[in-house]
Amino acid sequence: MQRSSPYICLLSLTFLVFSCRKKEATVEKDEHLCETLEDTTGRSIEIQNLYDDIVTKDTIKIISEQIRNNFSRRRTLSYDEKAVEDYFNENFSSVLSFDRFKKLLPDANSILKKERWLAVFPVRVGVIIRPEAPNYIDEKRIHHSIEILNRAFVGADIQFKVVQIDTLSSEHTIENLKENGWQNYLDFSDNDLKDTINLYVFDNEAKLCEEDGTSISCGRTGGFSYTLSSFTNNIVLTKFELGDQKVIVHEFGHFFGLHHTFDKQYGETTADNYFCEQTGDKICDTPADPGTAYEVYVNYTRCEMEGFFDEGGKEYHPMINNFMSYYKPCYMKPYRFSDGQYDVIYNAAKSRIRKDFVIDYLLLDEEKAQAIAVN
C-alpha cells in the first residue's frame, strides 16, 4: 500500500476529529475511535507538537537559509524584522505564518541578525624626524587616531590595526614633498611596505604665513593621499593634524576611493544633483557641493548652506558635515559619511588593489558595534 506523507496524515487526523464531533450521536461503529480522538484533541498541545515536529523537520531549516542568503548581501548589523517579515510573507506565507515561524525556530533572534565580519587592514606608522628640529610624538596620539578611523569606517565593515611604528629620519616637511613636481614625495614613497597602509606623519614648515605689504596669506597642508591607486601605498599626514576628528578620516577616504564632495574633474554637479553618477564625486546621496569658495552662505549652527543658487535657480544644500568636504565643523553635529560613500569604501576594500592588504577578519556583534560608536 502506498504510504501517505506526514502532511496528509495530519490533515486526515484533523478531519476525523472534526467529523467525530459533529456526528458522535449517529456514527456508532466509530464511537470508540471518536472517543479516542476526542481525548487526543483535548490535549491540543500534543497535536500542535506533532505539527511542529513535521514543519520543523521539513521547512524551518530551508526557510532560514533562504532568508539568510537573501539578507547576507546587506551590510547591516541587524536585520530589520519588518523587512524579514515582508520577505517571509511574500515567499513562505502559504507554508506557515511568520509568528509561528519565530516560535518554531530554535533561536528566533538568530534569523533577525547576521554575522558581521569586519576586514582588518594593517597600518604601519612612520614618524618623520627632521635632524635639525626633532619633534617626537606620543604613541597615544597615534592609537587615538586609529580609534577615530575605526569609528568612522565601521559602517563600511573596515577596521584598522597598528602593526608597526617606525621613526624615519628625513629633511622633508609635508610642504616640500610637493616640490620638483612631487618627485620628493615619490622618492620618499620607496619606504612603503608592501600590502600595508603606510601612514607617514610629517612636520609642517615653521613659517605658515607670508606678508606682502598690507596683505597676509596663511596656509597649512593637513595631509594627502592618492585616490584608490596602486601607485603608492601611503597616506601623508601632519603631526599637527594627528588626532583630528576629520583630517585622517578624510585622507583614508581618498585611499579607499572617495573624491571630494565638491570635485569638479568629472564636471560640476547642479544643485538638483542631476547626472550625479557621472559628475561631482559620482555618488548620488551626497548632495551637490559648490565648495568652500561659497562658504559665506554657510550657517554652521544650523549646518546648512542657505541662499546660494545654481544658474538654473535651484538652491544648493551640501552636506556640510561630510568627511570629504572642506567645510569647518558644524555646531554639535558630528562628521559623517553617506551610505553611498560607505558603499564605495566597502567595494574598494574588496578591489584587486586593496584586498590583499587584509590581515584578519573581526566578528562584530551589536554590543561591540555600540561600544565602537560610543568610544
Side-chain angles (χ1 to χ4, degrees), residues 46-242:
E46 294 182 14
I47 291 183
Q48 187 61 61
N49 288 340
L50 174 61
Y51 176 75
D52 289 353
D53 287 342
I54 295 170
V55 174
T56 300
K57 289 179 181 179
D58 294 346
T59 62
I60 294 300
K61 183 177 180 180
I62 296 174
I63 292 176
S64 299
E65 288 177 353
Q66 289 191 30
I67 292 176
R68 291 182 192 280
N69 290 338
N70 178 71
F71 285 90
S72 64
R73 296 187 295 273
R74 305 186 181 185
R75 257 187 10 263
T76 53
L77 180 61
S78 298
Y79 299 140
D80 179 349
E81 184 169 340
K82 182 63 169 62
V84 174
E85 182 175 3
D86 290 343
Y87 177 79
F88 181 95
N89 289 334
E90 181 180 347
N91 294 277
F92 310 112
S93 59
S94 61
V95 179
L96 74 166
S97 71
F98 183 65
D99 287 340
R100 196 73 199 142
F101 171 74
K102 289 194 297 180
K103 291 178 180 178
L104 293 174
L105 197 65
D107 181 6
N109 290 331
S110 67
I111 199 61
L112 302 179
K113 294 183 180 179
K114 72 185 222 182
E115 289 185 344
R116 185 178 176 187
W117 292 90
L118 309 184
V120 180
F121 283 79
V123 178
R124 176 272 195 115
V125 181
V127 180
I128 287 68
I129 301 298
R130 300 170 71 196
E132 72 278 12
N135 178 18
Y136 296 90
I137 58 176
D138 191 334
E139 286 191 11
K140 291 181 180 178
R141 289 179 61 194
I142 294 174
H143 292 289
H144 176 60
S145 296
I146 299 302
E147 290 173 2
I148 292 171
L149 281 174
N150 287 339
R151 287 197 298 270
F153 280 81
V154 69
D157 289 358
I158 292 176
Q159 294 287 271
F160 302 95
K161 180 181 180 180
V162 175
V163 294
Q164 188 171 324
I165 299 177
D166 296 324
T167 298
L168 305 175
S169 178
S170 174
E171 300 288 341
H172 290 308
T173 64
I174 193 171
E175 283 82 9
N176 66 33
L177 288 175
K178 307 174 187 178
E179 296 175 2
N180 303 319
W182 291 89
Q183 191 59 48
N184 290 351
Y185 163 68
L186 297 177
D187 290 344
F188 189 86
S189 295
D190 289 340
N191 290 293
D192 286 0
L193 298 184
K194 184 182 178 182
D195 294 339
T196 302
I197 302 175
N198 297 269
L199 175 61
Y200 296 129
V201 188
F202 283 84
D203 287 307
N204 286 107
E205 292 285 352
K207 189 176 181 181
L208 299 175
C209 296
E210 295 290 338
E211 297 185 22
D212 182 15
T214 59
S215 65
I216 301 176
S217 175
C218 299
R220 180 195 295 274
T221 300
F224 58 82
S225 172
Y226 275 105
T227 301
L228 192 59
S229 170
S230 59
F231 205 50
T232 67
N233 287 344
N234 65 60
I235 295 164
V236 177
L237 205 68
T238 65
K239 296 171 186 176
F240 181 85
E241 302 292 356
L242 193 65

